[in-house]
Amino acid sequence: MTLYDEGYARGAQQADGPLRPVGLDVAPGAATTHAVMSEQDLLTVRHAVRSATVEAGFALVDQTRIVTAASELARNAYVHGGGGSLTIEVLGHGARAGVRLIVRDNGPGIPDLEKALTDGWTTGAGLGHGLGGARRLMHEFDVDTVVGQGTTVTAIRWNNR
Amino acid sequence: MNAPRPSAVPILRLGDVLVTGLLNELDDTSALMFTDELTERIVADGARGVLIDVSRLDLIDSFVARTLTELATMARLLGARVIVAGMRPAVAITLVELGLQLRGVETALNAEQGMHALGWQQAPGSSRGDSYDALR
Ligand SMILES: Nc1ncnc2c1ncn2[C@@H]1O[C@H](COP(=O)(O)OP(=O)(O)O)[C@@H](O)[C@H]1O
Ligand SMILES: [Mg+2]
């Protein structure tokens, strides 16, 4: 597992916010990136995402939604994308807090995104509910995929809705 | 005998019912081992029912859902009835939003009700410390 600061991934919400003391990897607005290269990594990233949702003040059901979405996206990067990374970022604070997940891989990409988002559609042995399900579990969901180059999924859930 | 499975509690036998559970640290390899071991035990023990306690899972994603669905199907083909017991409310809500209903998998509110549904009766005179409570 790799764990490093990824300042460039910080969102606009943080850019003009007040300066915060530099802290550990749980500092508000800090992004942590985790490798998704093994079965063990799939378990590890779930713990990291859970911690971020707790830090952002999410209640239990929302925590579960976000960790489940992260688990689906990380598994896709591992299984379909041949491995990748998951970046976790806590956005804002208090009632306006949110969690952003960025899941990247350099795999084959998704030729037909509409189909891939359809429940029950799979090219593997899965249930085909991961991508569409993760989209339902999050408030903002964006897939950037290029065939032959890879896939980046960015998803946010806010705490105030 | 089989190597211990780090991600599942042991499989206990109570009469003709097998009692087991899942833990959060279920990776693909362990899930396959668990499925294999449970189906072997159903045959070896002539089990008519299987209780799978999921009360310790703080997450059921589509991978775990598939594992549970396949287990229930295989058990049914072997003549045993599977009940998945004790799903946490937050997990159930999320599972529905994922669009997964665990079709074909019977559920119970908790292990005790699941055991009751499987027809397991506490032996007369035994203490209140039901064996399956040891799994929690
Ligand atoms: N990161 C990815 N890279 C390549 N293909 C992907 C990726 N994520 C999803 N897909 C494609 O979209 C399909 C649907 O994904 P998903 O809904 O998670 O179902 P499942 O993973 O069970 O197949 C996959 O079968 C795969 O073909
Ligand atoms: Mg998937």
Side-chain angles (χ1 to χ4, degrees), chain A residues 48-158:
Chain A
V49 173
R50 173 78 65 177
S51 303
T53 63
V54 170
E55 182 201 336
F58 282 101
L60 183 60
V61 176
D62 276 346
Q63 290 176 26
T64 309
R65 287 184 173 113
I66 296 165
V67 179
T68 304
S71 180
E72 296 293 346
L73 297 176
R75 175 170 291 278
N76 281 352
Y78 173 62
V79 172
H80 305 299
S85 67
L86 168 64
T87 299
I88 309 164
E89 188 178 5
V90 175
L91 308 170
H93 50 91
R96 290 168 57 228
V99 164
R100 170 156 51 207
L101 308 171
I102 305 169
V103 186
R104 297 186 180 87
D105 67 66
N106 299 315
I110 305 175
D112 190 334
L113 187 56
E114 270 317 300
K115 273 189 191 160
L117 283 162
T118 306
D119 279 350
W121 194 87
T122 176
T123 58
L127 294 177
H129 280 247
L131 208 54
R135 179 166 68 170
R136 282 191 293 276
L137 292 171
M138 304 295 281
H139 288 134
E140 296 176 33
F141 194 85
D142 176 71
V143 183
D144 181 12
T145 184
V146 179
V147 172
Q149 289 185 30
T151 302
T152 299
V153 180
T154 304
I156 300 176
R157 191 170 177 102
W158 298 103

Side-chain angles (χ1 to χ4, degrees), chain A residues 39 43 46-47 50 60-61 64-65 67-68 71-72 75 125-127 129 133-134 136-137, chain B residues 24-29 58-63 65-66 90-91 93-94 97-100:
Chain A
E39 288 181 21
L43 301 177
R46 280 173 11 187
H47 289 289
R50 173 78 65 177
L60 183 60
V61 176
T64 309
R65 287 184 173 113
V67 179
T68 304
S71 180
E72 296 293 346
R75 175 170 291 278
L127 294 177
H129 280 247
R136 282 191 293 276
L137 292 171
Chain B
N24 282 317
E25 283 68 35
L26 185 77
D27 63 28
D28 306 35
T29 312
D58 59 24
L59 161 71
I60 295 182
D61 59 10
S62 63
F63 172 73
R66 185 182 60 152
V91 171
I93 290 168
T94 302
E97 290 177 7
L98 265 184
L100 301 172

Side-chain angles (χ1 to χ4, degrees), chain B residues 57-100:
Chain B
L57 291 185
D58 59 24
L59 161 71
I60 295 182
D61 59 10
S62 63
F63 172 73
V64 177
R66 185 182 60 152
T67 303
L68 289 170
T69 306
E70 287 179 356
L71 264 175
T73 304
M74 273 184 274
R76 184 165 43 79
L77 292 173
L78 296 171
R81 180 177 166 201
V82 169
I83 294 189
V84 169
M87 190 183 297
R88 296 184 188 182
V91 171
I93 290 168
T94 302
L95 206 46
V96 169
E97 290 177 7
L98 265 184
L100 301 172

